Amino acid sequence: MKKGKSTDGLMRHIRNSHGIDINGTTEKQDLLNMGYYHGYKASRYIKRSSNLQNYHTFQEVKAIYDFDIEVKTIFYPLLMRIETSLKNRLIDFLVKNNESDLESIYQKKLNDYEAKSVGSKDFKKYLNKKLELRNKIDSTIAYNYSKAHPCIQHFFHSSKPLPLWAYFEVTTMGEFGNFISCMDVSYRIQFTEILNMHHTGFNQNGRMLENIIFSLTGLRNATMHNSMIFDCRFNNRNFSSQFIRFLESATGIKPIDFESIVDFLVLLIFLMKIQYTTKTELKRIVSNFDKKREHLYLSIPMHAYSEILGTDARRKIAGLQTYIAIG
């Protein structure tokens, strides 16, 4: 079998095969810290592994890696707060003065298919979606019970119905999006009205929120698992045009296409703002991101910077500051 290279050997390989200058103890430690495969190789390309960049120094590659880590550090708490806040608000909406157990809500409020003609293509599609959600709910609960999750075990051992909040405690963001997708259209619209994101021109079917959740799922998973996010390689590019137009209209920032991580910052700030985050905190978040962006701008070739963040990153960030200041 082929023997693995030492770190010194990898540095020689980087110099001789990649044409990248890397030398000395400090850069050796930096390479060990980021990892050759996880950090160095993943930072050399943009979006696709075939799109290798012509960097000349190891410090240029490290600047990409550092920017990625810094953006994840900014985004991680925002994603957790947004997910938790949306779940808590939906719990409050669905259970207030109503039955609060998961089974009752599943049977009575997740019947979007009933708005379609019986037996039609859409009827079968959305009924099947509800049935698939049932399977996912059961497997999620079974998995967490087998892992001795205290909340799940408590309700089963007490022979009590599992409340919605306990299920949301263990469900994934993607599963949460599917849950909302199965809700009756009237509930979806009422809930987006509560969140101040309903718009008769962009949210006629009430699917705005699930589109937002699905658009964030890839970012959340990549951030949670420390995968690269700086170039949006996690992006499945399956965004609703209505959702994009709504976000452009709400923030005054365009064009938004989610090809740049700046567009995901716009979405996160929008969601934080409608959850009544203070202007001071929102400005701090954007300012922190902008400092990292500016450092990247000064650290790598312009063609690579433009391919990563686009040519309008500064303009969009200025637009975010204006959006935060108003309202």
Side-chain angles (χ1 to χ4, degrees):
M1 293 180 65
K2 185 178 180 180
K3 293 183 179 180
K5 289 182 172 66
S6 66
T7 303
D8 289 331
L10 287 172
M11 291 171 71
R12 283 193 297 273
H13 175 70
I14 290 171
R15 287 193 298 268
N16 298 333
S17 298
H18 301 166
I20 292 176
D21 183 30
I22 179 170
N23 288 285
T25 301
T26 299
E27 291 191 338
K28 178 180 179 178
Q29 294 304 316
D30 287 337
L31 180 60
L32 281 167
N33 288 337
M34 71 168 66
Y36 178 77
Y37 293 99
H38 170 75
Y40 168 76
K41 290 195 73 174
S43 300
R44 281 189 66 215
Y45 69 85
I46 298 174
K47 295 189 185 295
R48 303 173 303 280
S49 59
S50 59
N51 188 22
L52 285 172
Q53 299 300 296
N54 188 29
Y55 298 125
H56 299 293
T57 70
F58 178 71
Q59 289 305 309
E60 291 173 330
V61 181
K62 183 176 180 295
I64 299 287
Y65 177 81
D66 289 346
F67 176 73
D68 185 82
I69 292 292
E70 289 160 349
V71 172
K72 285 198 284 267
T73 301
I74 294 170
F75 281 11
Y76 178 81
L78 305 184
L79 288 162
M80 295 305 100
R81 286 170 60 180
I82 288 167
E83 180 177 357
T84 301
S85 175
L86 289 175
K87 285 179 176 178
N88 288 338
R89 282 169 163 76
L90 185 58
I91 291 167
D92 180 69
F93 169 67
L94 290 176
V95 309
K96 186 164 41 180
N97 301 319
N98 279 285
E99 295 163 305
S100 62
D101 65 288
L102 173 62
E103 189 60 34
S104 294
I105 292 168
Y106 176 84
Q107 295 295 340
K108 297 177 181 179
K109 298 184 178 180
L110 272 62
N111 297 312
D112 183 52
Y113 68 95
E114 291 183 348
K116 324 300 179 189
S117 299
V118 176
S120 67
K121 182 179 179 180
D122 280 346
F123 180 93
K124 294 176 181 178
K125 173 184 175 180
Y126 288 104
L127 175 55
N128 190 60
K129 181 176 285 192
K130 178 177 180 176
L131 296 174
E132 288 176 346
L133 179 63
R134 168 88 276 169
N135 289 335
K136 186 61 179 173
I137 287 172
D138 290 342
S139 64
T140 295
I141 292 171
Y143 173 80
N144 282 277
Y145 179 83
S146 71
K147 296 298 181 181
H149 191 285
C151 179
I152 300 299
Q153 286 202 344
H154 166 75
F155 286 100
F156 277 95
H157 291 173
S158 303
S159 298
K160 295 178 179 178
L162 189 72
L164 181 63
W165 69 262
Y167 166 63
F168 280 177
E169 189 88 1
V170 297
T171 192
T172 65
M173 197 167 188
E175 195 173 332
F176 178 58
N178 286 323
F179 182 96
I180 291 173
S181 179
C182 291
M183 285 168 49
D184 297 18
V185 62
S186 60
Y187 293 128
R188 293 200 305 269
I189 290 176
Q190 287 176 51
F191 186 52
T192 51
E193 287 174 339
I194 290 172
L195 295 175
N196 295 317
M197 67 168 64
H198 177 62
H199 189 291
T200 55
F202 302 119
N203 192 42
Q204 303 97 324
N205 58 9
R207 299 207 176 276
M208 180 71 69
L209 183 57
E210 69 190 70
N211 288 333
I212 288 174
I213 290 170
F214 291 141
S215 71
L216 285 178
T217 299
L219 173 62
R220 178 200 184 277
N221 293 342
T223 301
M224 288 282 290
H225 298 293
N226 197 25
S227 300
M228 290 290 180
I229 69 169
F230 72 93
D231 57 355
C232 300
R233 63 185 63 172
F234 60 85
N235 188 357
N236 62 18
R237 294 168 179 79
N238 186 26
F239 297 100
S240 160
S241 60
Q242 285 188 318
F243 156 53
I244 288 176
R245 292 199 301 273
F246 168 77
L247 187 60
E248 290 176 339
S249 174
T251 62
I253 299 169
K254 60 175 65 174
I256 290 175
D257 56 17
F258 293 103
E259 291 293 326
S260 160
I261 201 67
V262 177
D263 289 354
F264 284 92
L265 176 67
V266 172
L267 176 57
L268 292 175
I269 293 298
F270 165 76
L271 291 170
M272 293 288 288
K273 185 175 181 180
I274 65 172
Q275 292 173 9
Y276 301 99
T277 307
T278 66
K279 293 180 180 180
T280 300
E281 183 173 358
L282 294 179
K283 288 178 180 178
R284 178 188 58 78
I285 293 166
V286 174
S287 177
N288 191 16
F289 180 93
D290 196 37
K291 289 177 183 177
K292 310 306 181 186
R293 179 208 58 77
E294 185 67 16
H295 183 72
L296 183 69
Y297 171 76
L298 297 172
S299 302
I300 64 174
M302 178 56 69
H303 66 84
Y305 170 86
S306 297
E307 192 167 347
I308 293 169
L309 292 179
T311 58
D312 56 358
R314 284 176 174 166
R315 180 180 60 78
K316 286 182 175 180
I317 288 172
L320 261 181
Q321 296 286 15
T322 300
Y323 167 67
I324 291 169
I326 61 175

